[in-house]
Amino acid sequence: MNITQDKVVKLDYKLTVNGEIVDQSEAGEPLEYLHGHHNIIPGLEDALEGKAAGDSLQVTVQPEEGYGPRDEENVEDLSREDFEDDIEVGQTYYAQAEDGSVIPFTVMAVEGDVVKVDFNPPLAGMVLDFDVTVLAVRDATPEELEHGHAHSDGDHDHE
C-alpha cells in the first residue's frame, strides 16, 4: 500500500539541522500521522507521497516548506510583570492569543524589567534534513478522518 491522501503512516525519522540531530523518533515509538491533513510539515509530507512500507529516504526541506522563514517582527519585548515564575533564557513559554489559541514563544534574554521573546518556531528559517524509514501504511478509520489525525492503537479520547 502506498502513501496517499487519508492513509495513516508510521515512520521512524531523524531530523538534523546543520549536521546536528535536533529530533528523532524513539526506538519502538514511531511517528504516526494522517497523510494529507497537514499533520506534519509540507515538505516532508510531499516527499512521502507514493512511498510504501520498507522505503527509506533522505529529504531536505527548505524553510518555505518547513517551519517558514524567520520573521524578526516576531521578536518582541515583554514586561517582566507578565511572567508569574522565574524566567529562564532559552525556555519555551506559552501565551494565549485573543482568539483563545495558545502560542509558544522562547525567551531570548532578560534585561532588567524587559524580557525579549521570540514567537518564531524554533526551527523557522532553517534547512531541515530528514532520514526517514516508512514502517507501515494503512487506511484511516472513519473516526480518524473525522478528527483529522491518526489514533495510535485505536485508543483515543477527546474529552
Side-chain angles (χ1 to χ4, degrees):
M1 180 176 293
N2 290 17
I3 298 173
T4 57
Q5 180 73 31
D6 299 338
K7 300 295 184 197
V8 173
V9 181
K10 277 189 184 182
L11 53 84
D12 278 332
Y13 72 95
K14 179 173 64 175
L15 169 58
T16 57
V17 174
N18 298 323
E20 179 182 330
I21 297 173
V22 295
D23 193 19
Q24 63 186 347
S25 54
E26 298 296 325
E29 296 180 22
L31 171 67
E32 189 171 16
Y33 79 96
L34 180 59
H35 193 79
H37 290 258
H38 311 292
N39 295 162
I40 63 173
I41 60 172
L44 181 57
E45 189 167 55
D46 291 347
L48 288 165
E49 181 79 23
K51 303 297 185 236
D55 287 351
S56 291
L57 58 153
Q58 294 182 320
V59 181
T60 297
V61 177
Q62 297 300 319
E64 298 74 25
E65 290 294 309
Y67 292 96
R70 226 180 121 58
D71 183 353
E72 289 309 316
E73 290 186 17
N74 287 334
V75 176
E76 298 181 19
D77 290 337
L78 301 179
S79 171
R80 189 157 180 29
E81 294 174 356
D82 294 338
F83 294 82
E84 296 173 7
D85 304 323
D86 290 336
I87 305 168
E88 287 186 50
V89 173
Q91 188 69 29
T92 299
Y93 295 86
Y94 300 90
Q96 189 163 2
E98 290 177 12
D99 66 2
S101 64
V102 176
I103 304 169
F105 64 90
T106 304
V107 172
M108 298 173 63
V110 179
E111 298 162 1
D113 289 336
V114 176
V115 181
K116 183 180 278 306
V117 301
D118 187 351
F119 285 95
N120 284 292
L123 297 176
M126 302 206 179
V127 175
L128 311 174
D129 291 305
F130 288 92
D131 286 318
V132 179
T133 301
V134 179
L135 303 175
V137 181
R138 65 171 172 83
D139 290 325
T141 66
E143 184 180 39
E144 288 171 321
L145 292 174
E146 181 183 328
H147 292 171
H149 58 256
H151 296 169
S152 298
D153 300 326
D155 61 353
H156 190 74
D157 194 354
H158 277 280
E159 292 184 58

